[in-house]
Amino acid sequence: MSSTSLPIVSFIGTGVMGASMAGHLLDAGYPLIVFNRTKTRADGLLAAGARWAESAGEAAAQADVVITIVGYPADVESVYLDPDGIVAQAREGALLIDMTTSTPSLAVRIAQAAQDRGLEAIDAPVSGGDVGAREGTLTIMAGGSDAAFGRAVPLFECMGRAWTHVGGPGAGQHTKMANQIAIAGTMLGMVEAFSYASAAGLDAQTTLRAIGAGGAGSWSMANYVPRIINGDFAPGFFVKHFIKDLGIAIGEARQMGIVLPGLELAERLYRRLAEEDGGAELGTQALWMLYERGLLTR
Amino acid sequence: MSSTSLPIVSFIGTGVMGASMAGHLLDAGYPLIVFNRTKTRADGLLAAGARWAESAGEAAAQADVVITIVGYPADVESVYLDPDGIVAQAREGALLIDMTTSTPSLAVRIAQAAQDRGLEAIDAPVSGGDVGAREGTLTIMAGGSDAAFGRAVPLFECMGRAWTHVGGPGAGQHTKMANQIAIAGTMLGMVEAFSYASAAGLDAQTTLRAIGAGGAGSWSMANYVPRIINGDFAPGFFVKHFIKDLGIAIGEARQMGIVLPGLELAERLYRRLAEEDGGAELGTQALWMLYERGLLTR
């Protein structure tokens, strides 16, 4: 298929994740329009052939597909639902794909507003972090109609390694919350296991070899323990973003009337870590520091 | 090597785990003597050619290698350190291998007592559960001297798939504790993720497909979520044994002056589960029931 027959994509939010993801679309030949609050972060894409728009709404008005990955739910709400935002400005029939990790209820509101204007919307948060975005190996969890999902798949193919249609509007965000809740518990267990091992005088490398491939094994242990051993607490995935995600999950859980004490504990510990100087800007494996520095009390 | 040149092994504790493990030694041609508190649980081994001893001490007195896998630390202490126990009765030069999950400090005491009598002792707890024992795929974490570990390896080869010499006496138990602590957090995260998914109306099978292979993935998720979906709460690994292990870990952590809130939360929740009728006899994946039945309060 020649690039002229590909739909025009507007990509809003060209931070660490978005810049890599948009780059893959450009590489695949999609005509690309970009907007970002800080324009310099789009420089690489503009140099590679993307066109600049002066606002999210202006970007949306020129595209067949609008993809967003911005910071917080408030940012998502603003770029989609402001009077001059994406939903108001997009062309009839356009497909809107929000890949930010945001609230399920907001995803439902956006989908409803989009439908009212003859647009289709998908919530499609990702996991896999900066490395996954760079290497095009993200996992994508998409909520929306079958038709909208089908339209999005060719784009997902450029950005990810796996994509799952998990349900209707909001289901992508709910699935991402389940993902983050599982990670929260696993990180707790992993960090506490190696904190214990350290206190007991065990060699961390040997401990990882002894327990990493068995019933205690996890993606987190395999990927983060080597970084912890090397004193590497760089993100990866930012503590501040994990706190945002866990906060959303706690809010949703309370609304649904369920009690998740492991999630609440993990969120408290990560907030405690963020109180440390520079803690919010570290990677999630830095939870280790709370334990190593003896910052916890019973 | 013909079987007559293999060392004589006394195996003490022929429960679900021990019977399978001892069976592998018998299959490999080791002359086997067995003792168990409940003799009927050794019937299969006796029928297959093992010899019966009337006590742990009597079994030890006839063997080159003594292997134990009994219930609780008090049982370990009794079979090893009673006046007519293994340490008192074993032949000079014998190798003692305790594969029970027990306390590191007791492992150190046994190793010291063994050394005083010219014996060698290893603490070598396992992970992999009943299935690992049956299939000979256990993971073995061994603490003791290099020489003692070297002598034990041919026996480990019969019972396990992986064995690691993790340090001196007690290090095997400490490593097992690290293993259980990691599992505790992972189980919490896994169960809470799928409790959230259920409350949000997501399909569990689809959620597992969407998140199981990415950053939220773990051995626990891959192995236990399918059982939870099928309503299968049979052990696997007993809730009551996990509570024992977590209790040992908490005691050790406190002695070492470290605070592990995730471990303490998991232990509280598993104790809460054990208060339910029959809860202690279920598999660890039954933690799900606490959430599903709304038994938790904030």
Side-chain angles (χ1 to χ4, degrees):
Chain A
M1 203 191 287
S2 76
S3 70
T4 53
S5 70
L6 289 173
I8 299 168
V9 176
S10 278
F11 203 105
I12 290 147
T14 56
V16 174
M17 300 289 294
S20 293
M21 294 157 72
H24 293 307
L25 297 175
L26 208 52
D27 291 345
Y30 284 93
L32 194 73
I33 299 164
V34 295
F35 171 73
N36 193 55
R37 215 152 44 181
T38 308
K39 188 177 178 184
T40 51
R41 295 219 176 125
D43 283 350
L45 292 164
L46 297 175
R51 257 191 320 120
W52 178 253
E54 290 297 335
S55 71
E58 189 189 305
Q62 307 172 57
D64 304 301
V65 179
V66 182
I67 300 178
T68 52
I69 182 159
V70 295
Y72 292 83
D75 303 312
V76 174
E77 182 164 12
S78 169
V79 295
Y80 277 95
L81 300 178
D82 276 358
D84 57 349
I86 295 166
V87 171
Q89 299 294 319
R91 298 179 190 167
E92 192 172 338
L95 173 65
L96 316 180
I97 309 176
D98 181 31
M99 305 186 81
T100 319
T101 295
S102 172
T103 62
S105 53
L106 178 57
V108 171
R109 280 170 57 210
I110 291 170
Q112 187 59 57
Q115 195 183 332
D116 292 347
R117 279 215 56 244
L119 313 166
E120 290 189 297
I122 290 187
D123 50 301
V126 302
S127 76
D130 56 338
V131 175
R134 201 160 54 236
E135 300 180 353
T137 58
L138 293 170
T139 296
I140 302 168
M141 299 151 255
S145 71
D146 287 339
F149 181 77
R151 286 176 68 187
V153 166
L155 299 147
F156 292 160
E157 280 173 353
C158 299
M159 299 183 279
R161 183 184 51 191
W163 41 90
T164 309
H165 185 202
V166 292
Q173 297 297 350
H174 274 311
T175 303
K176 178 66 188 282
M177 289 301 117
N179 187 77
Q180 301 305 73
I181 294 167
I183 289 175
T186 305
M187 291 298 287
L188 259 187
M190 181 269 277
V191 164
E192 294 195 359
F194 281 80
S195 171
Y196 177 100
S198 170
L202 299 176
D203 176 67
Q205 208 60 269
T206 307
T207 305
L208 179 59
R209 191 153 43 85
I211 74 174
S218 62
W219 188 96
S220 292
M221 189 182 288
N223 283 273
Y224 289 130
V225 172
R227 298 191 203 183
I228 289 171
I229 291 173
N230 290 328
D232 172 9
F233 299 108
F237 188 61
F238 281 104
V239 166
K240 64 184 177 186
H241 292 155
F242 200 40
I243 292 171
K244 174 197 82 165
D245 295 358
L246 299 185
I248 294 172
I250 288 173
E252 295 288 324
R254 287 186 180 162
Q255 275 181 34
M256 299 190 295
I258 61 172
V259 181
L260 302 178
L263 168 63
E264 297 198 1
L265 172 62
E267 196 257 357
R268 277 199 304 280
L269 294 175
Y270 272 103
R271 276 197 285 113
R272 176 71 190 79
L273 174 60
E275 288 167 12
E276 291 295 296
D277 195 29
E281 306 297 324
L282 296 173
T284 50
Q285 73 276 21
L287 183 62
W288 167 258
M289 289 182 172
L290 272 195
Y291 290 83
E292 186 197 22
R293 295 182 182 170
L295 293 171
L296 302 178
T297 49
R298 188 164 297 107
Chain B
M1 204 190 288
S2 77
S3 70
T4 53
S5 69
L6 289 173
I8 299 168
V9 177
S10 279
F11 204 106
I12 291 148
T14 56
V16 175
M17 301 288 293
S20 293
M21 293 158 73
H24 294 307
L25 297 175
L26 208 52
D27 291 344
Y30 284 93
L32 196 72
I33 298 165
V34 296
F35 172 72
N36 193 55
R37 215 152 44 182
T38 309
K39 188 177 178 184
T40 50
R41 294 218 177 126
D43 283 348
L45 292 165
L46 297 175
R51 254 190 324 119
W52 178 252
E54 290 296 337
S55 72
E58 189 189 306
Q62 307 172 58
D64 303 301
V65 180
V66 182
I67 300 178
T68 52
I69 183 159
V70 294
Y72 291 83
D75 303 314
V76 174
E77 183 166 9
S78 169
V79 295
Y80 276 95
L81 300 177
D82 277 358
D84 58 349
I86 294 166
V87 170
Q89 300 294 316
R91 297 179 191 168
E92 192 172 337
L95 173 65
L96 317 180
I97 309 175
D98 181 31
M99 305 187 81
T100 319
T101 295
S102 171
T103 63
S105 54
L106 177 57
V108 171
R109 279 171 58 210
I110 291 169
Q112 189 57 58
Q115 194 182 332
D116 293 346
R117 280 216 56 244
L119 313 166
E120 290 187 298
I122 290 188
D123 50 300
V126 302
S127 77
D130 56 338
V131 174
R134 200 161 53 236
E135 299 180 353
T137 59
L138 293 170
T139 296
I140 302 168
M141 299 151 255
S145 71
D146 287 340
F149 180 76
R151 286 176 69 187
V153 165
L155 298 148
F156 293 160
E157 281 173 351
C158 300
M159 299 182 281
R161 182 184 51 193
W163 41 92
T164 310
H165 186 202
V166 292
Q173 297 297 350
H174 275 312
T175 303
K176 178 66 187 282
M177 289 301 118
N179 188 79
Q180 301 304 73
I181 294 167
I183 290 175
T186 305
M187 291 297 287
L188 259 186
M190 180 271 278
V191 164
E192 294 195 359
F194 282 81
S195 171
Y196 177 100
S198 169
L202 299 176
D203 176 66
Q205 207 59 270
T206 307
T207 305
L208 179 60
R209 191 154 43 84
I211 75 174
S218 63
W219 188 96
S220 292
M221 189 183 286
N223 283 273
Y224 289 130
V225 172
R227 298 191 204 181
I228 289 171
I229 290 173
N230 291 330
D232 172 9
F233 299 107
F237 188 60
F238 280 105
V239 165
K240 63 184 177 186
H241 292 155
F242 200 41
I243 291 171
K244 174 196 81 164
D245 295 357
L246 299 184
I248 294 172
I250 288 173
E252 295 287 323
R254 287 186 180 162
Q255 273 180 37
M256 301 190 293
I258 60 172
V259 181
L260 303 178
L263 167 63
E264 297 197 1
L265 172 61
E267 196 257 357
R268 276 200 304 281
L269 294 175
Y270 272 104
R271 275 197 285 114
R272 177 70 189 79
L273 173 60
E275 288 166 10
E276 292 294 297
D277 194 28
E281 306 297 323
L282 297 173
T284 50
Q285 73 275 20
L287 184 61
W288 167 259
M289 288 181 173
L290 272 195
Y291 291 82
E292 186 198 22
R293 294 181 184 171
L295 293 171
L296 302 178
T297 50
R298 189 167 298 106

